Amino acid sequence: MTQSPPGPADAFYPRPIELRDLHRGVVQVRDVGEGVEVVVIPDGDKLYVLREACPHMGGPLSQATYCRKDGTLECPWHGYLFDVATGALRDNPNERIMASLREPTECFRPERAPRYALTLLAYTVIGDRAYVSRTRGRE
Ligand code: FES
């Protein structure tokens, strides 16, 4: 039986995620249509859906390392560590290496440094499918 996406059709990507095909605790990529791929991480009763490009410099989060214990995703390019539940940056290991260069100066104000965060995507589950919203947010 074919089901329709919830709400207005243009509010969701056209291709839903088949939940029965997902592997728990594993970083996976799904094509949700229109040339858009998202990273999907199912864990317990939670499902995280996020943009595939790292917010730092576009690294491939499809190749990121997920830590179930800490609920974090580590980007393969520069090691930024993100909280998958909130999207917030938890750690940038390069800050420790660059600490001596990060002293406030006339040209560098630490409080104005970019605050990177994952782009979490909202979704709605109907039956065995998750319909991914075009808007940011959590389930
Ligand atoms: S591109 Fe992901 S940490 Fe730099």
Side-chain angles (χ1 to χ4, degrees):
M1 179 174 84
T2 303
Q3 293 176 315
S4 302
D10 62 351
F12 296 88
Y13 288 103
R15 190 172 301 147
I17 297 168
E18 299 291 338
L19 298 175
R20 69 180 75 167
D21 296 340
L22 298 176
H23 303 282
R24 301 269 166 228
V26 177
V27 175
Q28 295 147 89
V29 177
R30 290 296 182 270
D31 177 349
V32 291
E34 301 175 355
V36 176
E37 290 187 329
V38 296
V39 167
V40 182
I41 308 169
D43 200 349
D45 62 348
K46 295 186 170 49
L47 178 67
Y48 305 109
V49 181
L50 50 129
R51 292 235 184 263
E52 202 275 339
C54 176
H56 177 224
M57 294 181 71
L61 294 178
S62 57
Q63 298 170 28
T65 302
Y66 176 57
C67 175
R68 295 182 80 173
K69 180 174 157 272
D70 297 335
T72 56
L73 195 65
E74 182 180 355
C75 179
W77 279 10
H78 308 105
Y80 281 30
L81 200 63
F82 297 95
D83 185 310
V84 291
T86 66
L89 177 67
R90 274 209 205 159
D91 186 40
N92 172 359
N94 304 306
E95 287 294 329
R96 287 185 288 285
I97 297 167
M98 306 279 285
S100 63
L101 302 174
R102 306 289 264 170
E103 295 297 319
T105 66
E106 196 173 301
C107 299
F108 176 68
R109 310 241 319 254
E111 70 276 10
R112 290 192 175 177
R115 300 190 191 287
Y116 299 102
L118 296 175
T119 303
L120 301 175
L121 297 169
Y123 60 89
T124 299
V125 174
I126 297 179
D128 290 337
R129 294 176 164 174
Y131 292 85
V132 179
S133 171
R134 295 176 193 274
T135 59
R136 293 174 183 220
R138 299 179 219 163
E139 181 186 23

